[in-house]
Amino acid sequence: VAPGLLFCTPSNGSGRDGPAIFTNDGELVWLRPDSGTQVTNFHVIQFAGQPALAWWEGIVNGGIGTGDVVVTDRSYREITRIRAGNGRRADLHEFQVTPQGTALLLADAGVPATSAPGGAGLNGQVLDCAVQEIDLQTGAVLFEWHTVDHVSIDESSIPYSADATAIYDYVHANSIDVDTDGGLLVSARNTSTVYKIDRASGAIVWRLGGKQSDFAMGAGANFSWQHDARRQADGTLTIFDDSTSPGHSRAIVLRLDEQAETATLVRAFEHPTPLFAKSQGNLQLLPRGTVLVGWGDAGYVSEFSGTGELVFDT
């Protein structure tokens, strides 16, 4: 209903998957056919002062990606590939370009379990999710933050496996956003927590949700296994809540009082036919006040009015 084209990354395991652009009535504008790799996070960015298209492309194993970010011009010609630094590969979950000409991405790698708080005496490896800020022009790593330096294994909702050959994905970071004060908001699915990070010290300023929440969660404000935590211009925080107690997913808007340490539900967007996204999902506020929700692996895209009325569904 809102003006503009619809960007999707279908991934149904058959047919022609890849980054796709549709008109509002469902006509295909462009699709890059399947190249044998999975694609996520397809959107418009500013690159070298010009609008460009970008998407993550790579191999997915157990919900974790190993790949690069492809950047093309307006004629769909590849300009460059943006890669994670310090010997790591970019994960599928996040790629954001900042006004300063840098990119925020996640780069995951297995490290000894003893590297993480609470990991003493554990065998095998844990998955360390690294937040990196990359200079778009030079590829230099300007900032790096590691979950194993700050997040305890005790925070995870995933039971530890004694299999020494497995990598224990105890955090599963899946989004990064720049907060109004320059700090970073990092969503972690497997701890059901959004972390506020001080970019100067790397310290965790607060935790929202999960086992160690610093906030009292108001009625309906709890979430779990979430994705896509974003600070909005009006100060609210939007989150795609994959799993709530009734067993279906929703997109929510929260208002945080960081001094009183309270979180209040402002609005929840739910599909008329309850949908359950076992993974993925996002919420996007559109310029004319409508809200676009991608329902992750449930395979739907919906647009709601600002008051929650369903106005588009596919």
Side-chain angles (χ1 to χ4, degrees):
V1 174
L5 299 171
L6 186 66
F7 283 52
C8 297
T9 55
S11 180
N12 58 21
S14 63
R16 301 177 69 197
D17 293 342
I21 304 175
F22 296 92
T23 65
N24 282 352
D25 58 2
E27 292 298 318
L28 183 66
V29 175
W30 176 78
L31 180 141
R32 198 288 307 267
D34 185 3
S35 64
T37 58
Q38 190 158 330
V39 170
T40 65
N41 211 3
F42 178 37
H43 60 291
V44 178
I45 65 169
Q46 290 292 313
F47 185 83
Q50 298 293 323
L53 299 176
W55 64 82
W56 178 89
E57 179 178 291
I59 303 300
V60 181
N61 183 15
I64 299 299
T66 303
D68 305 315
V69 175
V70 179
V71 180
T72 76
D73 63 18
R74 285 183 288 187
S75 297
Y76 314 112
R77 295 173 299 212
E78 184 172 324
I79 302 170
T80 189
R81 289 186 175 237
I82 297 168
R83 296 179 168 87
N86 296 333
R88 295 199 175 197
R89 299 291 301 279
D91 177 54
L92 65 94
H93 286 95
E94 183 62 285
F95 175 75
Q96 293 286 330
V97 173
T98 71
Q100 290 73 38
T102 64
L104 292 166
L105 54 81
L106 290 163
D108 304 330
V111 300
T114 52
S115 303
L122 297 182
N123 295 323
Q125 292 187 313
V126 296
L127 193 71
D128 173 34
C129 303
V131 174
Q132 291 187 349
E133 184 171 15
I134 307 290
D135 185 290
L136 283 176
Q137 297 301 318
T138 67
V141 178
L142 306 177
F143 171 86
E144 188 166 277
W145 184 89
H146 295 264
T147 55
V148 292
D149 293 335
H150 301 277
V151 180
S152 171
I153 287 176
D154 298 336
E155 296 184 46
S156 184
S157 299
I158 299 294
Y160 174 71
S161 171
D163 182 359
T165 64
I167 298 179
Y168 176 39
D169 184 10
Y170 80 107
V171 174
H172 198 96
N174 57 29
S175 75
I176 314 165
D177 200 37
V178 181
D179 206 352
T180 51
D181 62 359
L184 297 178
L185 300 174
V186 176
S187 168
R189 167 192 166 92
N190 288 354
T191 63
S192 294
T193 302
V194 176
Y195 299 91
K196 169 69 175 286
I197 299 167
D198 183 291
R199 291 174 85 172
S201 67
I204 295 175
V205 179
W206 48 249
R207 291 167 169 82
L208 174 70
K211 296 179 180 179
Q212 299 183 19
S213 181
D214 292 303
F215 291 81
M217 309 298 287
N222 281 303
F223 55 85
S224 58
W225 314 105
Q226 80 291 337
H227 291 72
D228 198 44
R230 308 288 173 195
R231 182 75 81 173
Q232 302 299 335
D234 65 357
T236 58
L237 188 71
T238 57
I239 295 173
F240 186 85
D241 179 14
D242 285 68
S243 177
T244 61
S245 52
H248 61 270
S249 303
R250 59 186 186 153
I252 59 175
V253 182
L254 300 180
R255 188 167 299 281
L256 307 184
D257 186 328
E258 297 186 36
Q259 293 188 336
E261 296 185 323
T262 59
T264 304
L265 179 67
V266 176
R267 181 163 288 115
F269 299 93
E270 301 185 36
H271 199 276
T273 303
L275 298 174
F276 178 54
K278 297 186 295 296
S279 68
Q280 305 162 81
N282 72 305
L283 179 158
Q284 182 181 358
L285 302 186
L286 301 180
R288 294 187 182 180
T290 60
V291 176
L292 191 70
V293 178
W295 297 96
D297 74 343
Y300 282 69
V301 177
S302 305
E303 186 180 357
F304 296 88
S305 69
T307 57
E309 177 190 3
L310 184 67
V311 296
F312 173 88
D313 195 43
T314 184

